[in-house]
Amino acid sequence: TTVCVGDNIVLTAAENNATNYTWKKGGQIIGSTKVLTINNVTVSNAGNDYTLEVNNGGCNAVSGNFTINVVPAPDLTFSGSA
């Protein structure tokens, strides 16, 4: 997933019957619902260490790592004379 600085990210787990959802970045829990929303994304949200763990009736499944790329906004400056 690639987004621009300031955008919002909305990720939705495909599993509909899970009792628990755990979104992590670098092992740190960042969400615990079926839908993970990150508002006003910054460059610090970029990483290749995101995972999702779901639990359904005592059975767990963990995704492989996935990547979120964050592209900085272009530096819009003008030069010249009038």
Side-chain angles (χ1 to χ4, degrees), residues 31-49:
S32 59
T33 59
K34 179 180 171 74
V35 178
L36 174 68
T37 302
I38 304 172
N39 293 314
N40 197 23
V41 170
T42 66
V43 174
S44 67
N45 294 116
N48 61 359
D49 55 351

Side-chain angles (χ1 to χ4, degrees), residues 3 22 27 36 49 53 55 66 70 72 80 82:
V3 296
T22 305
L36 174 68
D49 55 351
E53 179 177 346
N55 179 291
F66 60 93
V70 179

Side-chain angles (χ1 to χ4, degrees), residues 3-54:
V3 296
C4 296
V5 167
D7 285 351
N8 298 328
I9 298 172
V10 179
L11 302 173
T12 303
E15 172 59 53
N16 289 318
N17 299 314
T19 53
N20 293 309
Y21 300 88
T22 305
W23 299 88
K24 294 182 181 180
K25 181 180 187 296
Q28 180 178 351
I29 296 172
I30 59 170
S32 59
T33 59
K34 179 180 171 74
V35 178
L36 174 68
T37 302
I38 304 172
N39 293 314
N40 197 23
V41 170
T42 66
V43 174
S44 67
N45 294 116
N48 61 359
D49 55 351
Y50 284 86
T51 59
L52 169 63
E53 179 177 346
V54 295

